[in-house]
């Protein structure tokens, strides 16, 4: 079982908080880039014989590509890789870059799941996040997705932007729930160094998110999404039963995955490797018939263990109690950050917010 | 003459002098030092003396030539006494002038007194623009008490602001001489320096002492050379000190051999012998500087050995104590070795092992004052590459219980309240000289520091000399800075130990989550306890990162809590996103966080970063006001 990730590094605008490998102003490279993806799929495919049960086209904004290009890509991947029936094929979409027509093409070329960057339903929060779409665009895109036959839709939300209050976040959650997505991802806004937001915070021009308010927002998300029938299955992810994102679960369960596209990451066994990040360099390498690998690492047992603990705690599967020192565990149980579930130690809701502490305590 | 079985092969009378440095008759020897308030131009004047006597060629000359150590040159102060031999001709006679350098900071008064013990005369130097300052007085009294002939000199006469005549009058009055006997020089231009040399020769008496007497030499300083062992600076009082003589250290009752005898001219130059009154160095080949105790007398062994030691001088006594701990626990041995090496050159430094529950293994060190402490700490960090945490400095307290006196160097050793009769703290007699217009500000400062005025006298219509009894603890931190800022830099300060006085002192403990942190305990006056406690808990609240639980930071006297702050429990510490497959970066962030944790010190349940200890313990100005 394995996963396939395809990275599309183009965006209409750059959001101040985003530190993904995404670019504006490279639109002229789009068709070359799609051809390169197909070429890389050929080059890398030889060494990837196992079935690919999940495909995730992310970015950037994949839906900035023309519908035909995306369709061609999906079809080519199915031809090159062993994608069994019933595979999960997700495409990330920006509400402003989709309409029914485009979504129908995606659906027909094999996409089963749509992940939409809604972020917020509060216009001031969207402005603060430098998102160009308004709340109505999300509603329209959602309706279009349903009309095109998508039965599996995720809404991405971000909480803790400057100006957002607990009340505003509550409205966003209620609006999101009202649209009836199968899956909700809610991320605490993180100030990443090297982003415009990171620089503005470092210069004191913008306030960093208040971690206590974000903790309250997290608790509210747990409460409202739980009440609405979504199961909390990863720190930042909720889903209707059976609608968990299988592709992301693959990352978290340390299953092999192959990444195609600029800056995409791959993993198998003890090896993690990644492609070069700049799209131009990626194009040059692939067009020269080379694998565009930019770096790799071999995991030692200690690193693998740390990852295992980190990821198992994130998806609330917990780690076997036998992995950790009782001396390290007891204060965390007492503090209500961990709970025992059979022979496993699982983070509580409060514990999820302090996951870094838990990981370090348990991975020792 | 000494006739022991270890006598040198050649009789002293026939000794061929090395490098033209002849054994000089005592009548043509002058041993003198220059004493001055800090910044009154002592080192610059010494440079001129070196030039004028051709001790250093123009090419070799560099500023503050005698201040050899980097640290001294940067701070513009002298901390090691140095002895230089100069030769000067006057009236057809060649004189040997031994200039014993002295430090100019109040922390190092004891080094002044040890240098004075090697001299017969002292040049009392006063800046013509500044006038007589507190240390001028202190040093003058030390020199006069040591029986030295004083040569009063007004320096910096080239300055536009110089008041040569006024300063001359003041100096004459202080020394008790005619104003015409006060010399006027400029260390900068060299004006008046030849006349000063002549005055030293004419006024300072030659040393007493006879070649025939048993050897008695005073060690007035020592230094450690990794290749040669301990090198002692000596002043021969009686007899002759010969190369390869077998010697005896009276204070430690030890026999050893003088491997080499020499003089600083100004670089070390071997000689065959040092006669009575001469000043030079002695290579001992001993590896332990403590065996060559400064102030000790070194007679030769065997028959004819002197029985009576020379009178010593004021022993250096640590006034300020602080715990030094390596930031990396593994550096304990390195710190011990470094302290031992420093001690070789610094008789005033004392240390003993100390164990802190918060900071681990380290040393409680005694210093002469805060400057001395800073210099030692800086040298440990700079020369030995150690990263250190220093606890807040404290004075030595006496805890009286019945007829027992418990000496407390460390606040954490202070017994709990109610278990003793009283506490006594060291008190100093401070001399402050200030322009009259700032007198009010000075008195206000002294009162605020629990001072008791002893007397006050107008030196002139514009300058006042005040004497205060002040608790040492009140002046070692920022008193001098405060004094300077309230008098626009015009007031000067000197102080000398006065004794111990009872005081209402209490130990303030700082508790983290109910656990006392020994490194933060401090003994303070009861009236200032609340403010100290408040400052510390507020400072720590800023410095201690949020933990997994609410953390109380408390200040307490005994079991009574006087201040409290809470570090709210941390609620969020999680990487929001973990997808896109870049697990490497997430793992690296966690590994970084883990490394950060390894630099935390755990106190009870609270993790305290190294930096918090350093920042919380930093002596700053606002704290003690």
């Amino acid at each position: 079982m394995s996963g396939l990730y395809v990275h599309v590094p183009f965006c209409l605008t750059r959001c101040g908080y985003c530190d993904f490998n995404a670019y504006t102003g490279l639109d002229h490279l789009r068709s070359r880039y799609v051809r390169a993806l197909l070429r890389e799929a050929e080059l890398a495919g030889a060494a990837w014989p196992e079935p690919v049960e999940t495909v995730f086209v992310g970015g950037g904004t994949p839906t900035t590509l023309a519908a035909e290009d995306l369709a061609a890509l999906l079809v080519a991947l199915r031809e090159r890789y062993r994608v069994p029936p019933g595979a999960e094929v997700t495409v990330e979409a920006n509400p402003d870059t989709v309409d029914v027509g485009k979504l129908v093409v995606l659906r027909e070329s094999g996409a089963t799941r749509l992940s939409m960057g809604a972020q917020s339903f509060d216009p001031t929060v969207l402005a603060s996040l430098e998102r160009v779409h308004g709340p109505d665009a999300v509603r329209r895109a959602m309706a279009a997705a349903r009309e095109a036959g998508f039965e599996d839709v995720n809404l991405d939300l971000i909480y803790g932007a400057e100006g957002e209050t607990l009340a505003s976040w509550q409205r966003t959650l209620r609006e999101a729930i009202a649209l009836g997505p199968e899956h909700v991802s809610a991320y605490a806004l993180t100030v990443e160094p090297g982003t415009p937001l990171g620089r503005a915070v470092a210069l004191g021009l913008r306030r960093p998110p208040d971690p206590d308010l974000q903790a309250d927002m997290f608790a509210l998300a747990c409460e409202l999404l739980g009440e609405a029938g979504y199961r909390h299955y990863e720190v930042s992810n909720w889903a209707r039963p059976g609608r968990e994102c299988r592709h992301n679960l693959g990352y978290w369960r340390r299953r092999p995955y192959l990444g195609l596209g600029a800056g995409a990451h791959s993993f198998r066994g003890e090896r993690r490797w990644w492609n070069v990040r700049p799209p131009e360099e990626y194009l040059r390498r692939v067009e020269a018939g080379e694998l565009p690998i930019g770096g790799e690492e071999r995991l030692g047992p200690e690193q693998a263990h740390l990852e295992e603990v980190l990821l198992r705690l994130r998806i609330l599967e917990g780690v076997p109690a036998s992995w950790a020192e009782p001396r390290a565990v007891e204060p965390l149980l007492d503090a209500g950050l961990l709970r025992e579930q059979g022979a496993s130690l699982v983070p509580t809701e409060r514990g999820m917010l302090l996951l870094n502490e838990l990981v370090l305590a348990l991975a020792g | 003459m000494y006739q022991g079985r270890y006598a040198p092969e050649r009789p002293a009378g026939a000794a061929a002098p090395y490098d033209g440095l002849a054994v000089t008759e005592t009548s043509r020897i002058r041993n003198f030092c220059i004493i001055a308030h800090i910044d009154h131009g002592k080192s610059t004047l010494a440079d001129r003396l070196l030039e004028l006597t051709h001790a250093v060629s123009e090419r070799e000359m560099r500023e503050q030539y005698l201040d050899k150590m980097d640290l001294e040159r940067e701070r513009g102060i002298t901390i090691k006494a140095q002895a230089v031999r100069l030769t000067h001709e006057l009236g057809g006679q060649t004189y040997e002038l031994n200039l014993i350098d002295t430090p100019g900071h109040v922390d190092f008064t004891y080094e002044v007194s040890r240098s004075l013990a090697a001299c017969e005369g002292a040049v009392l130097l006063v800046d013509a623009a500044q006038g007589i300052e507190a240390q001028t007085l202190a040093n003058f009294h030390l020199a006069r008490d040591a029986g030295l002939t004083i040569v009063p000199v007004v320096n910096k006469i080239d300055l536009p602001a110089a008041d040569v005549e006024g300063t001359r009058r003041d100096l004459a009055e202080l020394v008790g001489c005619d104003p015409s006997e006060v010399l006027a020089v400029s260390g900068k231009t060299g004006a008046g320096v030849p006349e000063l040399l002549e005055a030293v020769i004419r006024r300072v008496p030659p040393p007493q002492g006879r070649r025939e007497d048993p050897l008695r030499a005073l060690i007035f300083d020592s230094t450690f050379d990794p290749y040669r062992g301990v090198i002692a600076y000596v002043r021969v009082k009686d007899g002759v000190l010969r190369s390869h003589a077998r010697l005896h250290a009276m204070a430690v009752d030890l026999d050893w051999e003088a491997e080499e005898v020499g003089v600083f001219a100004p670089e070390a130059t071997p000689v065959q012998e040092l006669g009575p009154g001469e000043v030079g160095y002695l290579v001992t080949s001993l590896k332990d500087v403590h065996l060559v105790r400064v102030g000790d007398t070194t007679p030769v062994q065997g028959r004819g050995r002197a029985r009576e030691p020379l009178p010593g001088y004021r022993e250096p006594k640590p006034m300020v104590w602080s715990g030094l701990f390596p930031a990396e626990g593994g550096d304990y041995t390195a710190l011990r070795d470094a302290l031992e090496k420093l001690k070789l050159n610094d008789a005033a430094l004392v240390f003993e092992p100390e164990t802190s529950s918060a900071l681990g293994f380290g040393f409680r060190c005694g210093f002469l004052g805060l400057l001395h402490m800073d210099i030692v700490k800086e040298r440990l960090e700079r020369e030995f590459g150690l990263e250190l945490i220093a606890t807040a400095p404290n004075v030595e307290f006496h805890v009286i219980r019945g007829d027992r006196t418990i000496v407390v160097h460390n606040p954490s050793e202070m017994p709990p309240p109610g278990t003793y009769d009283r506490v006594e703290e060291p008190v100093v007699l401070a001399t402050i000289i200030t322009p009259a217009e700032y007198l009010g500000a000075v008195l206000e400062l002294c009162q605020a520091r629990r001072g008791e005025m002893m007397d006050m006298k107008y030196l002139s219509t514009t300058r006042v000399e005040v004497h205060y009894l002040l608790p040492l603890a009140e002046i070692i931190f920022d008193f001098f800075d405060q004094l300077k800022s309230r008098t626009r830099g015009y007031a000067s300060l000197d102080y000398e130990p006065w004794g111990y006085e009872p005081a209402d002192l209490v130990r303030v403990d700082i508790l983290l989550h109910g656990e006392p942190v020994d490194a933060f305990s401090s003994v303070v006056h009861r009236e200032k306890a609340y403010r100290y406690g408040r400052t510390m808990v507020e400072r720590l609240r800023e410095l201690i990162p949020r933990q997994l639980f609410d953390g109380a930071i408390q200040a307490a006297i005994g079991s009574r809590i006087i201040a409290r702050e809470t570090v709210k429990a941390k609620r969020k510490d999680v990487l929001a996103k973990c997808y896109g497959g870049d697990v490497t970066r997430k793992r690296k962030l966690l590994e970084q966080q883990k490394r950060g944790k390894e630099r935390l010190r755990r106190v009870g349940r609270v993790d305290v970063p190294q930096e918090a200890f350093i920042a919380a313990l930093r002596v700053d100005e606002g704290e003690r006001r």
Side-chain angles (χ1 to χ4, degrees):
Chain A
M1 228 168 72
S2 73
L4 186 62
Y5 175 76
V6 181
H7 190 74
V8 179
F10 309 112
C11 278
L12 293 180
T13 59
R14 194 72 212 268
C15 308
Y17 59 86
C18 175
D19 74 333
F20 282 14
N21 189 30
Y23 306 83
T24 56
L26 292 183
D27 298 350
H28 58 287
L29 296 178
R30 277 187 207 158
S31 31
R32 252 180 90 193
Y33 189 82
V34 173
R35 285 197 299 278
L37 281 176
L38 298 176
R39 183 85 190 273
E40 192 196 1
E42 289 295 323
L43 290 168
W48 204 268
E50 54 263 76
V52 168
E53 279 152 328
T54 63
V55 177
F56 197 106
V57 184
T61 313
T63 45
T64 53
L65 295 181
E68 301 69 40
D69 282 346
L70 272 174
L73 184 63
L74 291 176
V75 170
L77 292 176
R78 277 179 180 280
E79 282 170 3
R80 185 64 196 78
Y81 294 87
R82 290 171 52 203
V83 183
E88 174 193 274
V89 180
T90 307
V91 177
E92 279 188 330
N94 184 315
D96 268 352
T97 54
V98 291
D99 54 37
V100 184
K102 194 169 198 168
L103 291 176
V104 166
V105 175
L106 284 182
R107 187 77 191 87
E108 284 173 351
S109 49
T112 64
R113 189 171 178 271
L114 204 60
S115 176
M116 232 167 345
Q119 319 313 358
S120 174
F121 287 88
D122 182 332
T124 32
V125 174
L126 286 170
S128 168
L129 289 170
E130 301 173 69
R131 299 291 294 196
V132 286
H133 69 260
D136 284 340
V138 181
R139 294 183 195 106
R140 276 197 304 273
M142 190 70 189
R146 294 302 190 205
E147 203 182 324
F150 279 97
E151 290 170 5
D152 220 349
V153 180
N154 166 59
L155 290 183
D156 272 351
L157 302 175
I158 292 180
Y159 57 90
E162 195 172 1
E164 186 171 39
T165 61
L166 198 57
S168 151
W169 172 237
Q170 182 170 1
R171 282 194 298 278
T172 287
L173 282 167
R174 289 199 189 289
E175 294 254 16
I177 291 165
L179 289 179
E182 284 66 37
H183 190 285
V184 176
S185 300
Y187 300 107
L189 176 65
T190 307
V191 179
E192 299 286 356
T195 60
L197 178 63
R199 283 188 289 274
V201 168
L203 290 171
L205 301 174
R206 295 196 65 171
R207 263 201 309 266
D210 170 1
D212 291 338
L213 177 59
Q214 284 187 316
D216 290 337
M217 290 174 164
F218 175 79
L220 186 64
C222 293
E223 185 190 328
L224 295 186
L225 291 167
E227 279 171 13
Y230 295 90
R231 193 178 75 88
H232 196 179
Y233 75 100
E234 197 264 355
V235 171
S236 305
N237 289 279
W238 286 260
R240 298 238 182 257
R243 301 298 189 131
E244 294 84 6
C245 177
R246 282 151 57 196
H247 183 81
N248 284 342
L249 279 171
Y251 294 146
W252 299 327
R253 294 203 163 115
R254 304 185 79 236
R255 291 191 181 133
Y257 53 87
L258 176 66
L260 303 177
H265 282 245
S266 305
F267 170 67
R268 179 151 59 192
E270 294 160 358
R271 180 169 177 249
R272 293 194 178 280
W273 70 98
W274 46 89
N275 286 347
V276 294
R277 273 172 76 97
E280 291 92 337
E281 195 184 343
Y282 168 80
L283 291 174
R284 263 199 309 280
R285 295 273 297 270
V286 175
E287 286 164 3
E290 292 171 30
L291 280 176
I293 294 174
E296 70 158 12
E297 64 168 352
R298 299 263 171 192
L299 301 178
E302 230 174 89
Q303 293 168 315
H305 179 69
L306 181 64
E307 283 189 9
E308 185 85 32
V309 172
L310 160 70
L311 297 170
R312 276 168 172 262
L313 289 175
R314 281 195 80 94
I315 51 174
L316 311 183
E317 288 191 346
V319 297
S322 59
W323 285 13
E325 294 257 345
R327 208 159 35 107
V329 171
E330 266 153 35
L332 302 172
L333 288 170
D334 291 348
L337 301 176
L338 274 182
R339 64 189 165 82
E340 285 171 303
Q341 184 177 284
S344 288
L345 298 166
V346 180
T348 61
E349 188 182 304
R350 278 182 49 226
M352 274 181 246
L353 275 178
L354 292 165
L355 210 81
N356 291 359
E357 290 279 349
L358 298 186
V359 174
L360 294 179
L362 297 182
Chain B
M1 185 185 279
Y2 170 60
Q3 299 291 331
R5 53 191 268 248
Y6 295 107
E9 289 155 24
R10 251 185 310 202
Y18 291 21
D19 298 334
L21 291 161
V23 174
T24 312
E25 285 169 39
T26 51
S27 63
R28 286 190 283 118
I29 297 174
R30 299 292 182 273
N31 295 319
F32 73 108
C33 58
I34 306 172
I35 52 179
H37 193 80
I38 195 160
D39 290 337
H40 278 207
K42 187 173 52 131
S43 297
T44 309
L45 177 61
D47 289 348
R48 292 298 85 72
L49 292 176
L50 291 179
E51 279 175 354
L52 197 64
T53 58
H54 310 291
V56 181
S57 71
E58 226 166 277
R59 184 175 52 82
E60 295 166 318
M61 193 62 208
R62 53 176 200 254
E63 268 187 45
Q64 305 200 351
Y65 189 92
L66 297 179
D67 306 350
K68 274 195 173 159
M69 291 194 294
D70 284 358
L71 216 54
E72 291 164 30
R73 214 173 286 272
E74 276 172 33
R75 287 175 183 247
I77 53 169
T78 313
I79 58 167
K80 289 301 284 184
Q82 280 265 5
V84 195
R85 178 183 286 196
L86 313 170
T87 53
H88 192 60
E89 279 190 31
L90 186 70
Q93 288 273 29
T94 303
Y95 290 87
E96 172 189 321
L97 306 178
N98 292 304
L99 168 59
I100 321 281
D101 201 17
T102 58
H105 188 276
V106 63
D107 268 13
F108 300 100
T109 300
Y110 91 100
E111 291 205 10
V112 176
S113 61
R114 74 152 66 140
S115 301
L116 297 180
C119 304
E120 278 79 33
V123 169
L124 178 62
L125 195 67
V126 173
D127 183 327
Q130 305 291 328
I132 290 171
E133 300 280 13
Q135 276 164 256
T136 317
L137 294 181
N139 288 330
F140 165 69
H141 290 301
L142 282 174
R144 198 179 54 183
D145 294 350
L148 268 53
T149 299
I150 310 291
V151 181
V153 178
V154 178
N155 190 20
K156 304 198 188 178
I157 56 170
D158 57 300
L159 287 183
D163 175 11
V164 180
E165 287 318 307
T167 310
R168 182 175 262 164
R169 261 196 319 276
D170 294 346
L171 255 178
E173 196 187 325
L174 176 68
V175 176
C177 66
D178 190 88
S180 66
E181 292 172 51
V182 178
L183 288 92
V185 307
S186 164
K188 193 170 162 203
T189 66
V193 180
E195 291 79 2
L196 170 59
L197 275 173
E198 186 177 335
V200 167
I201 291 167
R202 293 203 189 285
R203 295 188 203 174
V204 175
Q208 305 297 310
R210 302 188 308 158
R211 293 183 67 85
E212 300 75 34
D213 284 346
L215 172 68
R216 291 200 301 172
L218 177 75
I219 300 175
F220 64 92
D221 200 359
S222 65
T223 179
F224 183 78
D225 181 285
Y227 301 104
R228 310 295 307 269
V230 177
I231 296 174
Y233 295 65
V234 291
R235 151 75 197 259
V236 177
K237 291 282 187 179
D238 305 307
V240 180
L241 173 58
R242 293 185 180 88
S243 190
H244 301 296
R246 302 285 299 183
L247 301 171
H248 180 83
M250 287 181 110
V252 290
D253 193 19
L254 179 88
D255 291 345
W256 46 281
E257 186 185 307
E259 207 171 67
E260 178 183 313
V261 171
V263 296
F264 292 96
E267 300 302 332
T269 312
V271 297
Q272 191 72 355
E273 62 169 53
L274 292 171
E278 288 197 296
V279 175
Y281 69 86
L282 179 54
V283 177
T284 67
S285 79
L286 293 172
K287 293 295 171 222
D288 184 352
V289 82
H290 307 103
L291 299 175
V292 186
R293 211 174 278 173
V294 170
D296 199 0
T297 310
T298 56
V300 279
Q301 300 164 35
R303 207 153 45 86
R305 165 177 151 183
R307 296 286 159 199
E308 284 299 307
L310 293 161
Y313 52 86
R314 204 160 98 195
E315 274 288 307
K317 198 174 171 310
M319 307 277 262
V320 176
W321 297 80
S322 164
L324 292 184
F325 294 87
E328 304 287 342
D331 283 347
Y332 172 80
T333 316
L335 174 58
R336 189 193 56 211
D337 293 350
L339 281 168
E340 274 167 6
K341 286 215 179 80
L342 283 191
K343 173 107 182 104
L344 296 180
N345 278 324
D346 188 345
L349 172 66
V350 300
F351 56 92
E352 60 202 31
E354 178 184 358
T355 308
S356 155
S357 56
L359 300 177
F361 296 106
F363 294 91
R364 175 105 330 215
C365 303
F367 306 97
L368 298 167
L370 277 199
L371 176 71
H372 186 212
M373 173 176 149
D374 283 349
I375 289 174
V376 168
K377 191 164 165 270
E378 206 171 313
R379 292 188 62 187
L380 287 170
E381 291 181 332
R382 194 192 290 195
E383 295 171 27
F384 298 91
L386 293 164
E387 197 185 339
L388 296 176
I389 300 176
T391 63
N394 59 272
V395 299
E396 179 178 298
F397 301 100
H398 290 172
V399 177
I400 316 291
R401 184 186 286 158
D403 54 5
R404 269 188 68 208
T405 298
I406 306 157
V407 176
V408 173
H409 291 157
N410 185 342
S412 67
E413 289 165 3
M414 182 92 172
T419 64
Y420 50 83
D421 300 326
R422 64 176 191 279
V423 185
E424 294 183 349
E425 65 175 335
V427 170
V428 296
L429 176 63
T431 302
I432 298 168
I433 296 180
T434 177
E437 55 187 307
Y438 301 118
L439 182 61
V442 170
L443 300 186
E444 197 185 344
L445 175 65
C446 291
Q447 291 305 131
R449 300 304 178 94
R450 302 190 279 129
E452 184 192 331
M453 195 202 278
M454 301 298 279
D455 60 44
M456 183 166 80
K457 109 178 164 210
Y458 276 79
L459 296 172
S460 66
T461 50
T462 55
R463 283 162 67 81
V464 192
E465 179 184 345
V466 211
H467 287 116
Y468 257 94
L469 283 187
L470 280 159
L472 179 62
E474 294 286 345
I475 67 169
I476 54 173
F477 295 96
D478 64 329
F479 185 84
F480 189 61
D481 293 336
Q482 282 292 306
L483 184 68
K484 284 285 178 192
S485 79
R486 284 165 192 234
T487 61
R488 295 182 158 204
Y490 284 117
S492 62
L493 166 75
D494 199 273
Y495 56 84
E496 57 185 284
W498 180 262
Y500 273 75
E501 296 282 348
D504 191 6
L505 299 171
V506 292
R507 185 177 90 195
V508 179
D509 292 321
I510 304 296
L511 293 82
L512 296 184
H513 209 73
E515 289 273 332
V517 187
D518 53 4
F520 291 144
S521 289
S522 187
V523 174
V524 295
H525 194 262
R526 189 180 298 276
E527 280 172 16
K528 301 190 177 183
Y530 176 76
R531 198 183 308 170
Y532 172 79
R534 194 74 245 149
T535 310
M536 281 302 281
V537 299
E538 279 172 11
R539 197 182 274 195
L540 285 169
R541 190 199 51 203
E542 299 298 319
L543 292 168
I544 293 176
R546 298 171 68 175
Q547 320 263 319
L548 290 179
F549 42 85
D550 278 354
I553 304 172
Q554 297 164 307
I557 300 172
S559 56
R560 192 164 60 87
I561 304 297
I562 56 169
R564 184 197 159 103
E565 286 285 341
T566 304
V567 178
K568 300 278 295 163
K570 162 163 83 170
R571 293 179 59 199
K572 180 176 166 288
D573 181 5
V574 58
L575 308 165
K577 279 196 190 193
C578 189
Y579 71 25
D582 187 358
V583 179
T584 302
R585 189 167 150 236
K586 308 297 172 195
R587 197 190 64 242
K588 286 188 172 158
L589 286 171
L590 276 168
E591 283 166 349
Q592 201 179 336
Q593 197 166 347
K594 189 174 168 189
R595 281 193 294 277
K597 268 196 182 299
E598 283 161 6
R599 280 181 62 83
L600 296 175
R601 303 260 178 177
R602 178 152 278 222
V603 178
R605 291 177 62 197
V606 184
D607 288 327
V608 185
Q610 210 79 269
E611 296 67 29
F613 279 103
I614 294 170
L617 291 168
R618 193 168 288 146
V619 180
D620 81 2
E621 293 195 10
E623 183 187 343
R624 295 231 154 208
R625 257 172 231 175

